[in-house]
Amino acid sequence: MSLTLLGQIFFNGIVISSVYVLLAVGFNLVWGILGIFNFAHGHFYMLGAFMAWYFISGLNLGFFAAFIFSGICIFIGAAIALKGLLDPLKENEFVCVIASLGLVSLIEGLVSAIFGGEARIVNLPVTGVMKLGGLYLSYPRLATLGISLAVFGVFLYLVYFTNFGRALRATGSDPEMAQVQGINISRIYFITFCMGTTLAGMGGIVACHMTPLMPHMGIDFSLKAFIVVVLGGLGSIPGAVVGALIIGLLESFIGSIFNPTIAMIVSFIVVLIILLVKPSGLLGVEGR
Amino acid sequence: MFRLRSLNASRIWKGIIITALWLLGVFVPLFFQDPFVLHLFNLVFLGCVWALSWTILARTGYISFAHNAFLGIGAYTSVYLVMQLNVPFWGGFLAAGAMAGIFALILGVIILRLKGIFFVLSTFCFAQIMLRVFRLAVPITGGANGIRGIPPPIFPLIGSIESHGQFYVLFYIYATLVVIFTARLFTSNIGREFKAIGEDMFVAESMGIDTTRQKVIAFLISSVIAGFSGSFHAHYVSFISDTTFEMIKAIETVIYCVVGGIGSIVGPIIGAFVMVPLPEFLRGFVAYQIALYGLILILILRFFPEGIWGTVKRGIHAFTPTTPTTKLKSLSLSSELADGFSIDFGDTLDFKKGTILECQAISRHFGGLAALSKVSFSINSGEILGIVGPNGAGKTTLYNVITGVFPPNQGTIIFKGRNITGLRPSKISHLGVGRVFQTRILYTESSVKENVARSFVPRSGFNGIKDLLSLEKKKHQWVNDETQQILTLCGLDPVAEELPKNLPHGFQRLLGFAMALATKPELILLDEPVTGMSIEEMNIIGDMLEKIHKSGLTIIIVEHNVNFVMRLCPRILVLNYGEKIAEGTPEEIRNNPNVIEAFLGG
């Protein structure tokens, strides 16, 4: 295998990883802070991709307008899902999981009813390839990488450098204590869920051109988010980044050399081993 | 007496209703000859079995998302044997269950030590791996193209089962058998242990239930039934591919159980009857079928979070006049309790002389914190030893190490001349170490009576298979009799049917006491038995302990209340910061400068 090919695979892996970071960080927040294992998380990714298709290919809006409109739509959708369904059922973790499965069915059903069952392909206004050494770096993929990193940067700023972020981290580490200190935790929960879910949606928007869009692809992305989070460690943002890099590169390498199914088997085996050996994940905190 | 009769009457009514419904089911094919309707019924029956088999594991508190994998393993095994190797159907069917069982055994031993969500996730990973293996193992599974033309089941003597009506009979019998089996299982001793594990694994293990073994058994039974179902499913629909066993299949069981109501047998059955035909009824809405399914599921969960059966049951409860229960708040420990307390351990104690327990230089640290460092002491049979020390002195850690909750980092523990260091809590409990916990560590969802009975179950020596065949009546009787005795002894009789959380504090402590006595201990470890009690209550407990001691039991008391310990114990051990700082008679302890400093100075 030539070095250029390896480089190409590596580049693709990094692009996929950057999308997984957005996907997984949101999943991590929702699971780690609200304690909701949301099976419909990947469906918001799918929803984001379909909204992007609608705004870009359907209405011929520019990418950035599409990005913002789709983001807003996902945020509202997340708010409805939380207030209408998940929040009232939060008492019982288990019923909540099943409720999120109801959401899976509802979102998938609505999307396939509205957009139809056939695969959709988004053609971005940006095209072309940048040649670097022997590598072919396509501009759409570079854009995906760039926007993902920018969104993630904004997210990091919010979490680590604002008062909201401080309240969020406080709630994450000890909700009761946070409440005693005057933090309105139900508001934090609300924003966290909507933000985390919107991050998944944005992942779907920026990656919408990479694969054909199908309504049933949502669950695959929930699975990937789950793999990344367990691997990196529940409640750990650096863990989500490391997990996303591992899974993205693993998928890119094994997927190119063998096939994507084997890549998935390998990632699940890795996660199973991690669960057995260190259930808190690579960078997770013990006892969470 | 009246109460007993009315109970029987309601049981008889229950029996009549169930039998009537069952008979009604027998005649369904007479009224509906439409193959499509019969097909729906067949799917419902498979759905019932599907959900019930999952419930068996869920009884132990373990939620599995790997049930679909076992369905697939069963289906492919059976189809491969029948179609490729020309094995008769019943052979393939049995092999399907066996193969699922083998997988469950291996997987169970590996992953059942994970707790809570981590177990759920690992089952989930296993299922995802298996699904992809099904897709790749083309020579056996046909991969994504699947296997077509699977022959219908052929039974010796009966012949082949082909029409929907014939399948109706087959699946009706199958579902009936599984329902009976599950009901039997849940009321058997083994089912009681499952429930105990589900409610509180820590208590179950401490009271002598081998939780690991029972969890693996539950997983095994649950998966074997799934394997059988896989075989039936494949030979019924005659086409399978990897998508037949998609994750949705695992989720369906959970959906049936949650919609119907978790924790009962009726719940999953109702869930299957509601949710299996639902997509068919929604077929008229074509494009919105999936979305409506999701919406209905959401609405049911949103408004009946306890499930349909849970809600119905609560409704029934609200309309039946409840018999006035004992006025719990006014209950208090009376001195008669201690006066009437007589217990004889003579015949159960097999170790009557010499050192019963010896701790040799045991150390235990958590991270950098040394909770115990080189603590050594021994206690003779029939002795009563007090251990005192300020908060954080390592008293509870000492108990945890002795009872095997965690092993010591260094040192050995000898009980009755046998090295018990590092044994599991259930094993140590069986050897004769009983423990009364400090806080409300009990089965919180079960009655006082059941709490006590569960300590006897692992000691009744029942045989699991005989028990399921209802051949262990004597052992059930033994458990009941012994339980009754202990309840009377400890004055818990009037509150036997109450939930522990409704009891006043003193009675909760008594219950912990009763549970420990029920484990037939030779050495009993008491963790702060009189915390939060009034002086009178303390005296009553003190008198009781004296009587227990006189009957020959060895006792160790850990207590904050130094006066209480000094009254009871001729020998006292003082711990501070995980080290033994003094040992001797109450008088010696009182005058020991180290002790005075630990309690007053510093």
Side-chain angles (χ1 to χ4, degrees):
Chain A
M1 188 175 295
S2 71
L3 209 62
T4 11
L5 184 57
L6 278 181
Q8 194 67 46
I9 295 174
F10 184 77
F11 170 70
N12 287 343
I14 292 289
V15 174
I16 299 172
S17 299
S18 73
V19 175
Y20 287 176
V21 167
L22 295 188
L23 186 68
V25 129
F27 192 75
N28 201 341
L29 282 182
V30 173
W31 187 16
I33 293 182
L34 282 84
I36 296 177
F37 190 96
N38 184 9
F39 265 111
H41 192 74
H43 279 70
F44 285 96
Y45 174 99
M46 180 268 288
L47 204 56
F50 268 90
M51 297 303 279
W53 175 84
Y54 172 68
F55 286 120
I56 295 172
S57 298
L59 299 182
N60 285 320
L61 285 177
F63 179 79
F64 283 98
F67 182 79
I68 288 167
F69 286 142
S70 312
I72 294 172
C73 293
I74 301 289
F75 193 92
I76 295 170
I80 296 171
L82 181 71
K83 284 292 160 197
L85 178 69
L86 297 174
D87 205 34
L89 295 176
K90 234 175 66 184
E91 295 288 296
N92 188 336
E93 194 186 346
F94 187 53
V95 171
C96 209
V97 172
I98 307 303
S100 80
L101 290 171
L103 210 55
V104 163
S105 206
L106 182 65
I107 298 175
E108 193 172 318
L110 282 179
V111 169
S112 54
I114 295 167
F115 292 98
E118 73 266 36
R120 303 280 169 182
I121 292 161
V122 181
N123 293 312
L124 284 192
V126 200
T127 49
V129 185
M130 182 169 89
K131 279 187 194 157
L132 191 79
L135 299 182
Y136 291 87
L137 313 179
S138 81
Y139 282 117
R141 288 197 173 221
L142 282 174
T144 300
L145 181 63
I147 300 169
S148 304
L149 290 181
V151 170
F152 187 59
V154 172
F155 166 79
L156 286 183
Y157 172 77
L158 280 177
V159 171
Y160 288 106
F161 296 101
T162 61
N163 278 336
F164 161 73
R166 193 180 288 260
L168 178 99
R169 281 176 288 139
T171 311
S173 65
D174 191 336
E176 277 177 21
M177 205 59 203
Q179 213 162 12
V180 171
Q181 290 186 319
I183 295 170
N184 180 352
I185 60 167
S186 63
R187 196 169 135 251
I188 296 290
Y189 283 160
F190 177 75
I191 299 176
T192 307
F193 183 84
C194 295
M195 190 171 78
T197 308
T198 310
L199 279 176
M202 287 180 170
I205 302 167
V206 297
C208 65
H209 60 89
M210 301 209 306
T211 49
L213 311 180
M214 299 288 286
H216 63 71
M217 73 185 193
I219 201 75
D220 284 347
F221 286 94
S222 294
L223 292 182
K224 285 189 180 137
F226 150 77
I227 293 176
V228 170
V229 170
V230 173
L231 195 61
L234 177 57
S236 159
I237 293 175
V241 177
V242 171
L245 275 173
I246 294 175
I247 294 300
L249 291 175
L250 199 77
E251 215 166 88
S252 183
F253 276 93
I254 298 182
S256 317
I257 298 167
F258 301 102
N259 71 46
T261 312
I262 294 187
M264 275 305 254
I265 293 185
V266 172
S267 3
F268 276 113
I269 290 176
V270 169
V271 171
L272 196 56
I273 292 170
I274 287 284
L275 279 172
L276 288 166
V277 179
K278 194 168 183 293
S280 53
L282 291 177
L283 297 182
V285 191
E286 290 287 345
R288 272 191 67 97
Chain B
M1 194 61 210
F2 173 72
R3 184 128 184 261
L4 206 72
R5 259 173 59 197
S6 71
L7 204 79
N8 276 339
S10 86
R11 274 184 71 174
I12 290 167
W13 274 112
K14 230 176 168 178
I16 291 173
I17 292 171
I18 292 171
T19 319
L21 282 176
W22 189 83
L23 280 175
L24 202 68
V26 174
F27 295 109
V28 162
L30 263 185
F31 301 112
F32 302 99
Q33 270 137 14
D34 181 359
F36 177 69
V37 175
L38 288 177
H39 173 65
L40 266 188
F41 269 105
N42 292 344
L43 292 183
V44 168
F45 295 145
L46 285 180
C48 289
V49 172
W50 188 225
L52 278 177
S53 61
W54 182 84
T55 308
I56 293 173
L57 179 65
R59 193 82 167 169
T60 62
Y62 279 77
I63 305 293
S64 163
F65 275 109
H67 222 45
N68 55 337
F70 294 106
L71 188 78
I73 290 168
Y76 284 124
T77 307
S78 170
V79 169
Y80 183 75
L81 288 178
V82 171
M83 288 179 74
Q84 311 263 351
L85 304 179
N86 294 320
V87 174
F89 170 76
W90 58 267
F93 178 74
L94 292 180
M99 190 59 100
I102 292 169
F103 270 87
L105 206 58
I106 298 169
L107 184 71
V109 169
I110 299 174
I111 67 171
L112 275 164
R113 63 201 172 92
L114 295 174
K115 289 190 180 107
I117 189 81
F118 294 114
F119 174 81
V120 180
L121 300 179
S122 61
T123 57
F124 188 74
C125 287
F126 171 73
Q128 293 300 323
I129 293 169
M130 286 314 290
L131 278 177
R132 287 171 177 81
V133 170
F134 293 157
R135 191 174 311 155
L136 294 178
V138 180
I140 295 173
T141 64
N145 293 327
I147 303 168
R148 273 164 220 289
I150 300 167
I154 301 169
F155 287 94
L157 302 176
I158 301 166
S160 85
I161 307 274
E162 277 166 30
S163 73
H164 281 97
Q166 288 167 329
F167 269 110
Y168 182 96
V169 177
L170 176 66
F171 290 160
Y172 197 57
I173 294 172
Y174 180 50
T176 308
L177 289 177
V178 172
V179 170
I180 293 173
F181 173 79
T182 314
R184 199 60 276 153
L185 182 69
F186 284 1
T187 51
S188 72
N189 278 324
I190 200 169
R192 257 170 143 172
E193 297 196 343
F194 288 174
K195 188 84 190 8
I197 295 169
E199 267 183 51
D200 197 319
M201 191 146 70
F202 180 66
V203 179
E205 180 72 37
S206 302
M207 295 300 162
I209 297 174
D210 187 342
T211 51
T212 308
R213 187 167 152 252
Q214 301 307 60
K215 281 184 302 192
V216 171
I217 290 176
F219 196 42
L220 186 69
I221 297 175
S222 161
S223 306
V224 168
I225 299 177
F228 286 147
S229 291
S231 170
F232 272 147
H233 183 94
H235 292 272
Y236 174 53
V237 296
S238 84
F239 167 72
I240 53 170
S241 74
D242 62 337
T243 48
T244 315
F245 311 106
E246 268 301 343
M247 216 186 85
I248 184 68
K249 208 68 200 158
I251 293 168
E252 273 172 7
T253 58
V254 190
I255 291 179
Y256 300 160
C257 292
V258 172
V259 166
I262 289 180
S264 63
I265 291 179
V266 187
I269 297 175
I270 294 179
F273 269 88
V274 173
M275 296 311 278
V276 174
L278 187 62
E280 303 304 330
F281 287 116
L282 299 176
R283 199 152 276 210
F285 301 93
V286 204
Y288 292 93
Q289 188 194 358
I290 305 172
L292 277 174
Y293 182 86
L295 189 66
I296 291 172
L297 177 63
I298 287 172
L299 291 176
I300 292 177
L301 291 175
R302 182 74 179 76
F303 296 103
F304 308 98
E306 295 163 311
I308 297 170
W309 181 238
T311 310
V312 170
K313 257 204 316 210
R314 211 178 39 183
I316 294 173
H317 269 288
F319 282 105
T320 41
T322 45
T323 45
T325 49
T326 345
K327 285 203 180 90
L328 290 167
K329 289 288 169 233
S330 64
L331 273 179
S332 63
L333 304 186
S334 71
S335 53
E336 289 161 25
L337 184 61
D339 297 340
F341 200 87
S342 79
I343 190 162
D344 185 20
F345 286 104
D347 51 340
T348 55
L349 302 179
D350 59 48
F351 195 87
K352 289 175 181 161
K353 260 191 200 135
T355 310
I356 188 164
L357 177 79
E358 190 178 2
C359 292
Q360 299 167 339
I362 47 177
S363 300
R364 170 77 205 187
H365 45 79
F366 299 102
L369 181 82
L372 288 176
S373 47
K374 299 211 153 71
V375 175
S376 297
F377 70 94
S378 65
I379 177 167
N380 284 327
S381 177
E383 208 187 343
I384 177 162
L385 173 75
I387 298 180
V388 294
N391 271 332
K395 294 168 300 196
T396 304
T397 308
L398 181 64
Y399 273 7
N400 281 336
V401 169
I402 294 174
T403 55
V405 176
F406 37 70
N409 296 109
Q410 271 153 24
T412 41
I413 303 158
I414 313 282
F415 179 67
K416 295 201 285 189
R418 179 177 172 178
N419 188 347
I420 58 163
T421 324
L423 292 184
R424 314 171 44 111
S426 56
K427 186 82 191 138
I428 292 175
S429 159
H430 274 284
L431 288 173
V433 180
R435 181 174 182 184
V436 182
F437 288 101
Q438 178 179 4
T439 38
R440 301 175 176 182
I441 299 182
L442 324 136
Y443 302 110
T444 47
E445 293 158 37
S446 301
S447 69
V448 167
K449 193 175 177 180
E450 183 64 18
N451 261 276
V452 176
R454 280 179 193 166
S455 291
F456 283 113
V457 168
R459 287 168 180 79
S460 61
F462 65 90
N463 170 317
I465 292 165
K466 273 195 192 168
D467 195 22
L468 289 179
L469 295 173
S470 183
L471 295 173
E472 296 278 42
K473 288 240 161 68
K474 258 191 194 152
K475 276 159 190 165
H476 274 274
Q477 193 54 43
W478 180 82
V479 169
N480 288 341
D481 291 348
E482 293 279 322
T483 305
Q484 194 50 48
Q485 243 175 15
I486 291 274
L487 287 176
T488 318
L489 184 71
C490 296
L492 289 166
D493 232 1
V495 292
E497 302 297 336
E498 293 291 339
L499 287 181
K501 65 169 185 211
N502 297 336
L503 302 186
H505 178 71
F507 278 76
Q508 287 185 1
R509 302 312 303 262
L510 272 183
L511 175 57
F513 216 64
M515 286 163 73
L517 285 179
T519 63
K520 305 260 171 194
E522 294 186 43
L523 166 68
I524 194 160
L525 310 177
L526 295 156
D527 203 347
E528 314 215 340
V530 294
T531 305
M533 287 192 170
S534 66
I535 308 258
E536 295 91 66
E537 286 177 324
M538 249 188 243
N539 286 333
I540 295 167
I541 298 286
D543 292 345
M544 276 174 68
L545 286 179
E546 267 178 352
K547 289 205 166 163
I548 291 177
H549 173 225
K550 274 189 191 127
S551 78
L553 210 65
T554 317
I555 300 175
I556 302 182
I557 303 175
V558 153
E559 186 47 69
H560 262 308
N561 189 320
V562 182
N563 289 334
F564 181 78
V565 175
M566 294 213 165
R567 181 197 136 186
L568 279 170
C569 309
R571 190 161 68 94
I572 294 172
L573 198 96
V574 187
L575 287 182
N576 195 22
Y577 293 115
E579 288 179 40
K580 185 169 89 169
I581 58 168
E583 187 178 352
T585 63
E587 199 56 34
E588 285 166 3
I589 295 295
R590 216 173 268 145
N591 299 323
N592 186 317
N594 286 338
V595 177
I596 295 171
E597 196 187 331
F599 277 84
L600 299 172

